[in-house]
Amino acid sequence: MSEPADGYDTAFSLPSVDDDPDTELGVLLMGLESPRLLAGLGVAVLGEAGDPVSATLLVDQLRHGTRDHPTLASAVAAGAGRWRAVRPALAAADA
């Protein structure tokens, strides 16, 4: 693989420490597989987590079996349902 002409590889770079915290969260979310993303959306939909950090921690706890409510399966199902419900509106939104 050749290096870009300017010497800066844009394939992956960590956000600056001065960036908004949501930028870092976006970098973290890029690496997650879809069931974990849907579970995160699901715990938010179910009212189990009030912010992205809490949702991420709760999904991790569900994955490792340290919590049993909601179940990982119910969180994924709730997230998938919400995604299907909002997908048409997201697709129609002006980029």
Side-chain angles (χ1 to χ4, degrees):
M1 177 184 226
S2 64
E3 192 169 313
D6 64 2
Y8 182 72
D9 183 5
T10 58
F12 180 80
S13 61
L14 293 174
S16 167
V17 295
D18 297 326
D19 285 347
D20 185 277
D22 287 339
T23 302
E24 183 175 351
L25 184 61
V27 171
L28 295 173
L29 292 176
M30 287 187 319
L32 298 180
E33 68 275 0
S34 54
R36 285 176 68 183
L37 293 172
L38 290 172
L41 180 58
V43 297
V45 167
L46 295 170
E48 298 290 330
D51 59 82
V53 173
S54 297
T56 302
L57 290 172
L58 178 53
V59 169
D60 198 47
Q61 292 167 350
L62 293 174
R63 287 182 56 244
H64 293 289
T66 60
R67 290 191 54 158
D68 58 359
H69 180 75
T71 65
L72 183 59
S74 67
V76 171
R82 180 65 177 154
W83 176 251
R84 286 186 196 105
V86 301
R87 203 164 102 184
L90 291 172
D94 183 19

